[in-house]
Amino acid sequence: MFNVMRFNRNVRSLRRTRAIIGVFVSYGFDQLLESFNIPAPFGKRRLFRREQRVVVGLDPARRMRMAFEELGPTFIKLGQLLSTRPDLIPRSFAEEFATLQDRVPAVTFAEIRKQLQQELGGAPETLFARFEPEPLAAASIAQVHLARLQNGEEVAVKIRRPDIMGIVDTDIDILGAMAGWAERHLPAGASYDLSGVVREFARTIRREMDLAREGRTIERFRSNAAGDASLYFPRVYPELTSSGVLTQEYIRGIKVSDLEALRHAGLDCRLIAARGADAFLRQVVDHGLFHGDPHPGNIVILSGNVICLLDYGMVGHLEGKTRQFLFQLLLAVLNKAPDDLIEALDDAGLLADAATKPALRRDLAEFIDSYVDIPLRELQVGRLLSDFVDVITLYRIRLDPDLLLLVKALVGVEGMGRRLDPDFDMMTHIRPFIEAAMREKMAPGEVVKDLRSYLQSLFHLSRNLPRDLKEIVTRINRGTVKIDLEHRGLDRLITELDKSSNRLSSSLIIAALLVGSAIILNSDKGPKLFGFPFLAFMGYVVAGFIGLWLVIAIFRSGRL
């Protein structure tokens, strides 16, 4: 049965694919067509004709960032995710993507009204005592409106854009296809697991679009920080919240970046910096759940030097083993022990190739030496971790994406701390957490737990090993053992061979047509056209068209 919905989605995907490639071409990334082996029978300039952007003198990272901004919500969010993955893209691209502007024209109030009715079952006038038609802010995923409840409380209503789900789904399908092409056709494509990156991105952006989930996340943060008077979290109104709408308390405070206003209000900037660092580290160490985007626009300060975090669409999760790995890294740097760094990577299962250990140890020793003469109070922990990621990226070592998100968040927290307090020292705040984590790891209870886990693994291995060996031997005796070989980097060669064989076949066809037509012409038999045998005339015409097409194709390929 014909599936109309799937057909419409495929048509949208084709149109969107053409638009995406057209934008990349207009920003000077013509090589993408050749890299992905995208067929363009009428020439890429005609197939992807777009207005050429003024990109002369702009570096590739900036041009790519501009292309992402033009392509809209999905690519803006993709760029923001990639800005936390310097293990996948060059540092210059990561830093440029971190500046992506997530500001778009607002949705009309008529569309917002319709969206609210669909999500909450009522018009704004019936749900709220007052609802401002002009948004406070408009972003690619949602926009925020100020409203007042029937009891007089001010609330911020975050409403998902009506058409965003379909746009994101179409773009994710296209990105998945492009990742597959890249893995097949680019030399290093398979080693980066680009399809896995797209799956991770799809999971992240779909979670961010679920506003009810964001509301539950705020409640989790509130529960984790129960009893901490230095933090405040906006109240969430579940009865006015759904997957497409989040209604929360409207917070009036001073932006953490407005130092003059903070001082004028009599607030203590040094205390705010210390509280912010400690609160962030408690999120990481004690709960494994941290705010993933703590930039100045998401932090306001209330009276009493109380810190309030906004926008919980991007959060990170760190398991116990990942947290221990992080502290092992920091402790190894503090102790200036490159071997401890390698041991930490090995314990985490990140060193698959033992042959790289000597070179890795040399580079890590140089990395540590670059921080030897820096006093601890001047040490920037976020920059240190970023430099460490740059080193291990050279060896294709993949870290947990949430750990990389933590590195970026830590850079932001540390930068704000230094703006608030010129004498701010992040290491002073981190050291007690490292020491506590190390003491916890060496506690008798944890040692016994690790020993028990090790013995259980050893027991299961010893119990299953004879059976597994017997199965291997049995398969060998039966001749059922199969070895799968995967070729990499040969797809381009196969494509070029296909092109060459097609051209050779076309040449043979042309030669056969010319010879056959010449024979018919000499025989002077059959029906005539313009005084020539009809079959001979048509043979020359077909041979001419094929020859002309072949010459054009050769010139367009740029290879004579």
Side-chain angles (χ1 to χ4, degrees), residues 322-384:
T322 307
R323 295 200 294 273
Q324 288 290 342
F325 171 66
L326 172 65
F327 289 130
Q328 278 184 274
L329 294 181
L330 290 174
L331 194 61
V333 174
L334 289 176
N335 294 335
K336 301 176 177 58
D339 289 329
D340 291 349
L341 277 176
I342 293 180
E343 183 180 352
L345 292 168
D346 210 358
D347 291 343
L350 298 174
L351 290 184
D353 187 1
T356 64
K357 284 186 178 181
L360 178 59
R361 186 193 182 284
R362 180 198 64 224
D363 288 344
L364 289 176
E366 293 179 358
F367 157 71
I368 290 177
D369 286 343
S370 64
Y371 287 93
V372 166
D373 297 328
I374 300 178
L376 286 181
R377 63 181 302 273
E378 298 179 9
L379 187 65
Q380 297 186 35
V381 180
R383 176 53 56 188
L384 181 148

Side-chain angles (χ1 to χ4, degrees), residues 86-119:
D87 59 326
L88 294 178
I89 61 176
R91 173 67 62 180
S92 60
F93 279 79
E95 292 176 351
E96 187 67 37
F97 288 164
T99 67
L100 276 166
Q101 299 297 313
D102 193 8
R103 293 192 297 267
V104 296
V107 175
T108 64
F109 181 65
E111 293 177 279
I112 289 298
R113 179 188 176 89
K114 182 179 179 181
Q115 182 78 349
L116 279 172
Q117 288 178 323
Q118 291 177 348
E119 292 289 339

Side-chain angles (χ1 to χ4, degrees), residues 497-548:
L497 288 175
D498 286 340
K499 291 180 180 178
S500 299
S501 61
N502 290 338
R503 291 175 181 176
L504 181 61
S505 300
S506 300
S507 301
L508 292 175
I509 293 172
I510 293 172
L513 286 172
L514 291 175
V515 172
S517 298
I519 294 174
I520 296 174
L521 183 64
N522 290 330
S523 66
D524 198 27
K525 295 181 179 179
K528 300 294 181 68
L529 181 65
F530 302 121
F532 298 97
F534 176 77
L535 292 178
F537 180 81
M538 291 305 300
Y540 283 124
V541 170
V542 172
F545 273 115
I546 296 176
L548 180 62

